[in-house]
Amino acid sequence: MNRIFSALAHAVLLGVMLAAGNARAQSTPTDDALYQQLGAQPGLVKLVDDFMVRLLADPRMNPFFKDVDQAHVKAELVTQFCEVSGGPCRRKGPDMKQAHAGMDINKNNFNALVEVLQQAMDAQGIAFTAQNKLLAKLAPMHRDIINTP
Ligand code: HEM
């Protein structure tokens, strides 16, 4: 009798543990809300296409970007924006310090690029709150990107 009771208790306990595990799994989904707000992959591709057009058209940015492999840089930016916004991408390219080494980038250059990115996000109709969230993810990178006073 005891053995039957013990087996039953174990079965109940196992059920409770499985339910708890399941609840925990459901309560911590990966947070891709920002990625979705940015329009997921198609939205990011459109945003970065527009961003590059604007970088080339902006006299402050053109000297930096006119000779780059645009397709490559755009693909890297899409992957990076996807990753930092909680999407399924993982960027494997050089880190931000390496990627920008050798270019003299100062604070004004950095701010100008952010301004152009804001213009591109506006043009794509990205909500202001989502714009700010993406910028908040990118802003700390200034420590690795700005490399000249
Ligand atoms: C938050 C700010 C920035 C982010 C997130 C960012 C991100 C990136 C990424 C992901 C790449 C591609 C690197 C690779 O894998 O090859 C790249 C390349 C590049 N970035 Fe930035 N960047 C930022 C700011 C700047 C600024 C301020 C400048 C200059 C004013 C700049 C100029 C460039 C150039 C010229 C390249 C192409 C390098 C090459 O392919 O030779 N970036 N950036």
Side-chain angles (χ1 to χ4, degrees):
M1 189 64 187
N2 260 348
R3 206 176 295 155
I4 294 171
F5 180 75
S6 165
L8 263 176
H10 276 105
V12 169
L13 191 65
L14 188 67
V16 168
M17 282 164 69
L18 286 175
N22 201 24
R24 190 161 48 238
Q26 281 171 6
S27 67
T28 54
T30 50
D31 183 2
D32 71 346
L34 179 56
Y35 175 66
Q36 298 301 340
Q37 283 175 305
L38 295 170
Q41 202 65 10
L44 287 177
V45 169
K46 274 169 73 184
L47 171 63
V48 169
D49 277 347
D50 187 31
F51 183 35
M52 185 56 76
V53 170
R54 289 169 190 275
L55 286 171
L56 293 168
D58 187 304
R60 300 167 298 177
M61 290 291 107
N62 178 279
F64 289 97
F65 287 94
K66 64 179 168 44
D67 294 325
V68 304
D69 177 346
Q70 288 176 31
H72 167 76
V73 176
K74 286 198 288 186
E76 289 292 332
L77 286 170
V78 168
T79 307
Q80 184 184 47
F81 291 179
C82 166
E83 182 171 6
V84 302
S85 65
C89 320
R90 296 295 171 263
R91 205 182 145 257
K92 297 186 185 74
D95 64 30
M96 288 297 93
K97 203 176 198 117
Q98 289 171 325
H100 299 89
M103 297 175 231
D104 288 338
I105 300 179
N106 64 28
K107 197 171 164 227
N108 287 342
N109 302 143
F110 187 89
N111 290 340
L113 179 133
V114 169
E115 199 184 301
V116 176
L117 178 56
Q118 280 173 313
Q119 289 165 3
M121 290 193 288
D122 272 340
Q124 293 305 313
I126 293 171
F128 192 59
T129 49
Q131 294 190 19
N132 283 343
K133 282 182 196 158
L134 179 63
L135 293 175
K137 302 274 184 196
L138 301 177
M141 298 178 187
H142 75 266
R143 295 187 196 94
D144 289 328
I145 294 172
I146 296 173
N147 50 21
T148 194

